[in-house]
Amino acid sequence: MGRATYTIRRLLQGIPVMFGVVLITFLLTESMPGDPVSIMLGPSPGLQQAAEIRAQYGLDQPVHIRFGKYIWNLLQGDLGRSLYYEVPVTTKIVERLPVTMLLVGASFVFGTITAIPLGVVSAKRRNKPVDHVSRVVALVGVSTPSFWIGLILIIVFAFHAQDVAWLPKFPATGLVLPWADPATIDGASSRYDVIARSLEHLALPTLSLGTLRMAAFTRIERSSMLEVLNQEYVKLARAYGVRERTILRKHAFHNAQLPLITIMGLQLTASLGGAVLTETVFEINGMGRLIITAVNNQDYYLVMGTTLMFGVVFVVGVIVVDLLYAYIDPRVSYEGGD
Amino acid sequence: MSTTIEEDAQESDVEDATAGEPEARVGLRYTLSQLKRDPTAKVGGYIIAFFAVIATVAFIDTNVLAWVGHKYWFAETFWVNPVRDPATTQILRPPLSLTNDLHPGAPGDWNHVLGTDHRGRDILVRLFYGTRIAMMVGIVATGIGTVMGVVVGAVAGYYGGWVDDALMRAVEVLYAIPFLVLVIAFMVAFGRNLLFAMIGVGIRTIPVFARLIRSEVLSVREEDYVEAARASGVTNRKLIQRHVIPNSFAPVLVQATLQIGINILVIAGLSFLGFGAQPPTASWGQMLSVSRGYMLPAPWFSVWPGLAILLAVIGFNLLGDGLRDALDPRIQNR
Amino acid sequence: MSDANTLLDVENLRTQFFTEEGTVRAVDGISFDVNEGEIVGLVGESGAGKSVATSSLMRLVEDPGEVVGGTVTFKGETLIDFEENTKGELRPSEAMLSNAEMRENVRGNEIAIIFQDPMEALNPVFKVGSQIREFIEINRGFDEGEAKALAVDMLREVGIPEPEERYHSYPHQFSGGMRQRVLIAMALACEPSLIIADEPTTALDVTVEAQILELVDDLREKYDTAFVWVTHDMAVIAEICDRVNVMYLGEVIEEAAVDDLFHDTKHPYTDALLDSIPRPDQTTAELNPIVGVMPEAINPPPGCRFHTRCPDAREVCKRAEPAYQDVSEPGERPHHVHCVKYEDVGYEYSDPLDTEATGAFAGDLMETETEGEADD
């Protein structure tokens, strides 16, 4: 069948899921009590004004018509207009999405870079002190609420550090995008400056969101590595005189990453949820906060738009992971079903 | 496993093919004996028991006694009411023997071992009563998710075909909407109280178990003893009930234990955002949310609720890991 | 027993596994040897310790297992040796090759191994050709180009069609028989003096098995490699082995030239084993399985380990541990047996023992039930 066809098939299979996401979100939003218009206009709005707004936003139509219209607009790229911000939903999303992607991306990178060596070393020196320490760290990492880590990090490195000389200081809030125009950032006069500030602001939130990633990945890497090291082909390689180091690096490593890749896809949704919490703690203006604001204000179109966005990111992420897996594992054929 | 088959043998003439074998390596007793040998699993068990006892006491004092109009009777008699505002100036007291910027000359004392919150309420007692929320939501939500997820997943896995496709697509939709978003929207739609939080988290737990049991069922379905039973005329429903589900159960049990821990984290997150138990009810996540506003003057306020969550979840993780090791037939030595 | 042609000499090898449930005496004092160019069989039921024995030879036993005693020499080099220290404990001796030397000089280039399940034994994410090439580079010191050429040659040699293309295939793209040929190619490419084949045909169809056996025979003639052939299939033994060792519960209980083993069987276990094989040229009303199940190696029966299932067991068998000795007549080929019957401990005067094989239950020894019928 070939890779291209497989990709297209997977993408097409994502559509029913996306449809389901839209439908469920629509239904949930419909059942929200309260009238978005009165929220917008305050108590006792003038009837004329209310009717105008309603017509403007299409809120006076019956449910199925609204749904149909929404889908129609969707296919044309129009996600509606935010009641609260009074700008097109797409604008808000374009503004906020990169921020969240940066945060989630950074946490994934952090998690992976730390977890793989930790997991491999842990498996190799099973039941020795290194292993025990790493297992304890992983256990704590998986059991800690990410927002609490964020709070503690802020207390120590942003507030407390003001008084203590030898503690590195990090900003407590906000994110700076590395590709932003230096003119828009205070105290930055070059790209270099911007990147530096960006990293500074990223440090604590990444640590906060990434600890859970790191812990989860370490555990999986360790157990996957252990399982692979027990396989016949590893024993064969040893029997033919291959050095331990080569066995770890080449024969075992490649095989051990496969379960990790699968898990990464599943962790993506968890990450997006965790991003909501982290963004709240660090007052970062990303998609997470956007959706909370939208839900709290019953901003109909914004809720739909953002949830849809999350859904898209998830589906695309899963497909990317699937493709990555198929690329890496030669046993996967492109024929047949999932 | 062999017991289930023997029972069925009387009904459907399936021959028991196992010759005399040394002591069985499966079953409740063996699992318990394995667990007893695992020190970390035991620690996990003790931690859970500890929190369970506290939660039960808190539950009785809150929900049960409320019926007879004496809510918080225990608290008031032996300690202090966790939700009543004492209306003193003793707000944001530091923990035992420490000072903070608000009370520079007055270190903490035994009256309030962990300090007080922004309304002067003792933190330790609120942590105590917050256990109720964490354990309740954790267990109930996981229960909902497990039961429904197992049914959905088992049916999907067993029947296959379009049933499988349809069910799993539906499950995937639940999975695609981010955790918090789904629950939050659910609660905004139906009511911002604890009951809906529990249901929401429960619904969100369904996909985890549906997928898990579906893949177990897919492999068990191909096993010879299922073929044999089917060939002897055992009905599909009975097959699922008597053979398929019990043999797929081990990973479900492990996941359920771990999932309680996960759901405790989730409800903490929800409470943090304001979507869990509403004030003045004490809940760990909500306490953390409030503490945010006082990070500078009273940093310790932020520490204790987080530690409570950490400890509870560690307990479930330890036990879950221990269960996984004990139930995995492949692991003969650790 | 060693003479000029002895390649491998194993004496009193012992390997144990230290588990939570107890110490498993997987290999409890086995001795055998392999001469140049011959195929020596190692046969026994599952759990007898055959695979552990071969892993022990190569010093590939892993935690919680450990080689705890014995001497193994290969072509004059000491692979395994133990000596007593002042406290009377056995410790690995200085004469043993170091781990590095084992790896560089012995594993692969001198002794190669072929595993049972070719699907598991080949790394699924690497191409077959490069796996062979890597082993050739390590063990014969060729560079990449030469190694690749040799790999292709060996694939051709073992009968894989279009070897240049198949060099680039992945293991899952081969059938079971083909994969096993690949493993054989791997082994031969390193030109070892001895190949340990651990149940290489067990996972294959009978027809494929026949092809593989024929291949091995041809190759053996061509390259003059010696083999240790591990299996539980007596038919295979009859087909290709020169000499045979029969293992039971961690011990070698009989060793003989293949004809002697089949026609002049001395140990009751071997007898029972041969009896239990259905023969295509005879119609039988009933099968004669060996009654009972092999006990666990954690707690082997006292005295002779087979006595619990032996049809010829006597009281003395419970107490006396037989010695492994040569019971052949002068002028005949050596024939070793590990059985009380051939010793001077009063077997003839001892009372018969009720064992599972004689139809009664050995109540005080094992609490298992048998469902098969005793055959006398």
Side-chain angles (χ1 to χ4, degrees), chain A residues 8 24 65 119 123 143 147 193 211 226 230 248 261 278:
Chain A
I8 296 180
I24 301 252
I65 301 219
S143 315
F147 54 95
D193 275 344
T211 305
L226 279 178
N230 260 334
L248 265 185
I261 294 178
T278 311

Side-chain angles (χ1 to χ4, degrees), chain A residues 13 16-21 24-25 28-29 31-33 126-127 135 139-140 142-148 151-152 154-155 159-160 212 219 227 266 269-270 272-274 276-277 280-283 289 291-292 295-296 298 303 307 310-311 314-315 338, chain B residues 165 169 172-182 184-186 188-190 192 204 211 258 265 268-270 272-273 275 285 288-289 291-292 295-296 298-300 302-307 309-311 313-314 317-318 321 324-325 330-331 333-334:
Chain A
Q13 279 173 352
V17 178
M18 288 309 312
F19 185 77
V21 172
I24 301 252
T25 320
L28 277 178
T29 331
S31 8
M32 286 204 247
R126 182 188 190 176
N127 286 333
R135 289 174 85 184
L139 178 69
V140 170
V142 154
S143 315
T144 326
S146 62
F147 54 95
W148 183 62
L151 283 179
I152 302 292
I154 292 181
I155 290 180
F159 294 156
H160 203 58
L212 185 62
R219 291 174 118 209
E227 196 171 319
L266 299 177
T269 357
L272 294 176
V276 172
L277 290 165
T280 309
V281 169
F282 288 94
E283 290 174 34
R289 274 189 119 197
I291 217 174
I292 301 260
V295 166
N296 270 329
Q298 297 183 336
V303 172
T307 316
F310 271 111
F314 173 75
V315 169
D338 291 339
Chain B
D165 275 337
R169 290 297 143 264
E172 246 177 63
V173 167
L174 279 180
Y175 213 70
I177 308 179
F179 222 156
L180 288 170
V181 173
L182 183 63
I184 290 173
F186 190 77
V188 171
F190 293 113
R192 222 185 247 235
R204 188 51 185 78
R211 284 180 174 217
L258 297 172
L265 284 173
L270 283 174
F272 181 75
L273 294 172
F275 291 95
L288 277 176
S289 166
S291 79
R292 256 187 94 205
M295 279 195 285
L296 258 181
W300 284 98
S302 308
V303 170
W304 308 116
L307 277 182
I309 302 174
L310 177 58
L311 193 58
V313 176
I314 283 186
N317 276 333
L318 282 177
D321 279 350
R324 183 193 285 140
D325 286 343
R330 281 176 305 165
I331 297 186
N333 44 63
R334 259 165 266 124

Side-chain angles (χ1 to χ4, degrees), chain C residues 3-319:
Chain C
D3 55 85
N5 278 340
T6 306
L7 216 46
L8 176 74
D9 191 9
V10 177
E11 261 178 75
N12 207 23
L13 182 64
R14 288 186 303 131
T15 305
Q16 294 175 353
F17 285 80
F18 303 100
T19 70
E20 286 179 2
E21 279 124 28
T23 304
V24 180
R25 294 151 62 179
V27 175
D28 217 12
I30 61 172
S31 309
F32 66 94
D33 60 350
V34 181
N35 299 320
E36 274 177 40
E38 70 173 346
I39 301 189
V40 172
L42 193 58
V43 69
E45 291 175 72
S46 307
K50 320 186 286 290
S51 294
V52 178
T54 52
S55 303
S56 306
L57 289 182
M58 305 267 281
R59 281 165 54 183
L60 286 173
V61 178
E62 291 173 31
D63 229 20
E66 214 183 297
V67 177
V68 296
T71 309
V72 175
T73 47
F74 180 78
K75 274 181 163 177
E77 300 277 357
T78 312
L79 299 186
I80 296 177
D81 191 24
F82 283 81
E83 51 194 14
E84 264 187 41
N85 64 8
T86 46
K87 286 188 257 182
E89 294 164 345
L90 283 180
R91 294 264 162 254
S93 87
E94 300 295 305
M96 268 168 60
L97 293 181
S98 72
N99 280 334
E101 284 167 340
M102 268 304 284
R103 188 188 63 229
E104 283 165 35
N105 303 338
V106 176
R107 292 195 196 129
N109 22 23
E110 290 290 350
I111 309 181
I113 236 185
I114 298 176
F115 282 139
Q116 171 180 346
D117 189 347
M119 188 59 231
E120 296 293 319
L122 291 170
N123 197 324
V125 300
F126 295 133
K127 293 182 191 158
V128 148
S130 48
Q131 292 186 48
I132 303 182
R133 181 177 51 80
E134 180 185 5
F135 293 162
I136 295 177
E137 282 177 41
I138 292 180
N139 289 308
R140 300 200 51 195
F142 291 359
D143 66 36
E144 197 177 314
E146 293 175 324
K148 176 170 176 186
L150 179 60
V152 172
D153 275 341
M154 288 317 298
L155 286 175
R156 186 179 299 116
E157 188 80 33
V158 295
I160 291 181
E162 295 177 333
E164 290 94 2
E165 278 98 56
R166 299 299 258 170
Y167 179 90
H168 297 285
S169 302
Y170 288 98
H172 66 272
Q173 292 169 314
F174 284 92
S175 69
M178 288 289 177
R179 281 180 225 137
Q180 200 54 282
R181 289 170 196 258
V182 167
L183 284 178
I184 294 176
M186 230 179 229
L188 286 173
C190 300
E191 286 198 350
S193 320
L194 173 68
I195 292 183
I196 301 180
D198 194 345
E199 302 209 45
T201 52
T202 304
L204 303 173
D205 286 342
V206 190
T207 40
V208 179
E209 179 179 64
Q211 290 171 356
I212 300 286
L213 290 178
E214 205 182 295
L215 174 67
V216 168
D217 221 11
D218 290 340
L219 293 173
R220 194 252 306 230
E221 269 189 44
K222 187 164 170 189
Y223 292 93
D224 204 29
T225 322
F227 277 81
V228 171
W229 198 279
V230 178
T231 179
H232 60 259
D233 187 344
M234 294 302 270
V236 170
I237 295 281
E239 177 87 25
I240 58 167
C241 292
D242 299 318
R243 286 190 298 136
V244 188
N245 295 283
V246 182
M247 274 189 82
Y248 183 79
L249 205 57
E251 298 175 322
V252 173
I253 48 97
E254 184 164 3
E255 180 268 333
V258 63
D259 286 334
D260 292 341
L261 189 81
F262 279 82
H263 300 299
D264 188 18
T265 321
K266 300 222 186 278
H267 195 286
Y269 175 66
T270 320
D271 238 342
L273 210 53
L274 290 170
D275 249 355
S276 67
I277 301 173
R279 290 179 53 162
D281 59 331
Q282 286 177 353
T283 7
T284 30
E286 282 182 355
L287 291 178
N288 296 329
I290 308 180
V291 176
V293 172
M294 185 158 60
E296 301 214 338
I298 281 186
N299 211 2
C304 166
R305 294 187 177 194
F306 185 58
H307 81 255
T308 55
R309 299 162 75 192
C310 183
D312 301 341
R314 304 272 173 98
E315 283 293 325
V316 66
C317 297
K318 262 205 290 199
R319 296 188 305 272

